[in-house]
Amino acid sequence: MPVTLAEDTEMVLASALTMRTQWLSPFQEVDVETAYEPWAAKPRLGLRRSSAVLDRVGVADTPGGYVTELKVLGNNALDVHLLLGEEDMKPVQVLEAGVDILAGRCAVVPGPRLPFGNVGPGLLVEKVRRTRPVPPSLDVTTVAYHMNASHDLLALHRLFGLTTAQDTSRGHFPGVSDFPLAIGSAKQNIMAKFGARGFEAAAVTAFSAVAGGVPDVRYVTTRIRAAFDRPFAFLALHRHTRLVLTAGWVTDPLSFPEDD
């Protein structure tokens, strides 16, 4: 519970949101390789998987720059979309791009329609030779993370419509109580965990009222490689309604576990 009770606390209004899903296609844990120096300074826990479903990845041309979107599907209609922007894009621009993509305001070119070459942030489409005929593939590398954050909603009271409700000279919630109430504190604690098998998230919001010999390689196929190996955004959402339930910016992936 993020709020602290005080002598003049008359009521606490709290809400909690929890999410838990298992990936339809799990990842393998690997030691991630990256040129991004803060992450390369120590071994990081990477996640890798390969599939033949190319439309799980795509590139959008957004107002802030190009953004690569990867859809990671859960087994209960809860999905996580990973968003990697251009290196000079700010976190808010990447997150806004993700919401615009969901709302249909930014068109996404899906994997099967992407040209060859470096077509987007962390995204490479190439022709590769094989010893036997195989379908096109999507090879994904990302990182595991487990984050916790706390937000003071009154620090952004105008954004959350809480400016007037802080005025303790009069009551503001007659539909809640006949006793005059004002907002004394408003905070949120949140947790998000992305791993090889699934995703978990939880948030509690409370208001206190106060007062990835020579063989015969005759066959050619397409391979898409997507690497989320530097800071990126994520949106966790309900697949059918496309309602975003939680969002975040990954800056500090989990360390690769040391051998016993």
Side-chain angles (χ1 to χ4, degrees):
M1 185 63 63
V3 299
T4 301
L5 301 182
E7 289 186 2
D8 58 348
T9 301
E10 297 289 343
M11 180 181 293
V12 173
L13 302 177
S15 67
L17 166 72
T18 62
M19 297 178 62
R20 179 176 292 142
T21 191
Q22 299 293 311
W23 305 134
L24 291 177
S25 177
F27 292 83
Q28 290 182 328
E29 294 184 345
V30 297
D31 185 353
V32 69
E33 297 180 3
T34 176
Y36 182 66
E37 292 187 359
W39 291 7
K42 63 179 180 179
R44 302 286 184 161
L45 180 57
L47 304 174
R48 182 177 297 161
R49 75 180 188 187
S50 181
S51 77
V53 187
L54 304 189
D55 62 1
R56 294 286 187 264
V57 74
V59 178
D61 184 1
T62 76
Y66 288 98
V67 173
T68 295
E69 177 194 45
L70 175 72
K71 302 173 184 177
V72 187
L73 274 57
N75 63 357
N76 55 356
L78 293 177
D79 304 333
V80 176
H81 291 194
L82 305 185
L83 304 160
L84 183 66
E86 297 183 52
E87 293 191 26
D88 60 348
M89 290 181 69
K90 297 179 180 179
V92 65
Q93 292 178 298
V94 181
L95 284 163
E96 286 180 344
V99 174
D100 286 343
I101 290 170
L102 284 175
R105 292 189 289 266
C106 292
V108 178
V109 180
R113 293 172 48 197
L114 292 172
F116 292 104
N118 292 291
V119 295
L123 198 60
L124 174 66
V125 182
E126 58 186 350
K127 289 182 178 180
V128 294
R129 293 189 175 274
R130 302 292 192 186
T131 58
R132 58 187 177 85
V134 294
S137 65
L138 169 61
D139 297 342
V140 173
T141 301
T142 185
V143 292
Y145 57 85
H146 187 174
M147 61 175 65
N148 292 276
S150 181
H151 306 287
D152 184 349
L153 306 186
L154 289 186
L156 296 170
H157 55 84
R158 292 185 183 276
L159 176 64
F160 293 107
L162 299 173
T163 303
T164 301
Q166 296 178 88
D167 182 3
T168 57
S169 65
R170 58 191 178 91
H172 305 279
F173 305 100
V176 175
S177 172
D178 292 335
F179 188 87
L181 299 173
I183 297 297
S185 65
K187 296 183 179 181
Q188 181 185 74
N189 287 345
I190 187 169
M191 178 279 291
K193 182 179 181 181
F194 186 106
R197 295 186 177 277
F199 177 84
E200 296 179 34
V204 176
T205 307
F207 298 81
S208 69
V210 291
V214 179
D216 181 1
V217 287
R218 70 181 70 182
Y219 303 102
V220 177
T221 189
T222 299
R223 179 174 64 188
I224 301 178
R225 291 192 291 174
F228 290 74
D229 55 3
R230 55 180 173 82
F232 60 89
F234 71 88
L235 299 177
L237 56 116
H238 180 242
R239 186 182 310 151
H240 306 309
T241 62
R242 302 170 77 82
L243 175 67
V244 176
L245 300 173
T246 188
W249 182 255
V250 181
T251 60
D252 189 20
L254 292 175
S255 298
F256 192 82
E258 296 181 1
D259 293 335
D260 292 335

